[in-house]
Amino acid sequence: MPTVLITGAGRGIGREFARQYEAKGWRVVATCRDPSKYDLEGEVYPLDVTDPASIAALHGELDGEGIDLLINNAGIYGPRGAALGGIDYGAWEDVLRTNVLGPVRVAEAFAGMVGRSDLKIMVFISSKMGSIGDNTSGGGYIYRSSKTALNMAVASLSVDLSGRGIICLLFHPGWVKTDMGGASAPVDAAASVAGMCAVIDRATPADSGRFFNYDGKQLPW
């Protein structure tokens, strides 16, 4: 039975990943800041990706195991609508800690467990808003920059972990109906996650470091 570890599994896309992998018969190791709010069956552990001690505690719980698939999903948007002259730099730092440092810390901590598994895949939930080539509308300084930085970090991880056979994938999940995406978003979480799972299922080392839309289309950097 393969094992998937999911960050930010308490709601939205993370919860849907947990639901779909449970349905596939995988062992799901779900993590979120407040496990009491996790409403699916299976294992759930507390994890705050901005807290090195929290990551270390989870590592201690799982030490010695293999993790076939690590899904770095936890993330925040930060304040919306911030324009030049009104940027909250403290909030910007908080978003970078969650969206960039957090996933890299988790990847660094669990690389050994992923490397000893059969599948050896790390997934990182990014956003098309982090694509420099796609940015024709400006704005979104805080969230955009956090996802651009994540993309570059994962590009480096894909090189540095290639010797261990680990595949690193970046995804834009679409504009999804979640707490972050809002009720007017055109893509539901089930369709988004099903699409990403299909890409994960057929991933090869040649895909490592690439940036995909949830439907498998490669996106510009």
Side-chain angles (χ1 to χ4, degrees), residues 56-147:
L58 179 63
H59 185 277
E61 291 278 355
L62 303 175
D63 194 22
E65 301 187 29
I67 296 171
D68 293 275
L69 174 59
L70 169 60
I71 299 178
N72 277 288
N73 165 74
I76 58 175
Y77 193 92
R80 296 176 184 268
L84 286 176
I87 295 173
D88 183 337
Y89 287 91
W92 199 340
E93 292 173 357
D94 290 340
V95 172
L96 290 172
R97 272 192 290 271
T98 301
N99 292 0
V100 187
L101 277 64
V104 174
R105 278 193 172 114
V106 171
E108 185 176 31
F110 291 94
M113 296 185 198
V114 175
R116 72 170 61 100
S117 74
D118 293 329
L119 298 183
K120 300 180 174 64
I121 300 174
M122 291 186 181
V123 163
F124 299 80
I125 302 304
S126 184
S127 170
K128 191 166 66 172
M129 287 187 70
S131 167
I132 294 173
D134 189 67
N135 184 0
T136 59
S137 59
Y141 294 93
I142 293 175
Y143 188 70
R144 282 189 187 278
S145 65
S146 74
K147 293 304 186 179

Side-chain angles (χ1 to χ4, degrees), residues 23 38 49-50 82 85-86 92 99 106 128 132 155 167 174 192 200 215 218:
Y38 184 72
V49 300
T50 69
W92 199 340
N99 292 0
V106 171
K128 191 166 66 172
I132 294 173
I167 298 169
S192 171
I200 293 166
D215 61 5
Q218 193 165 342

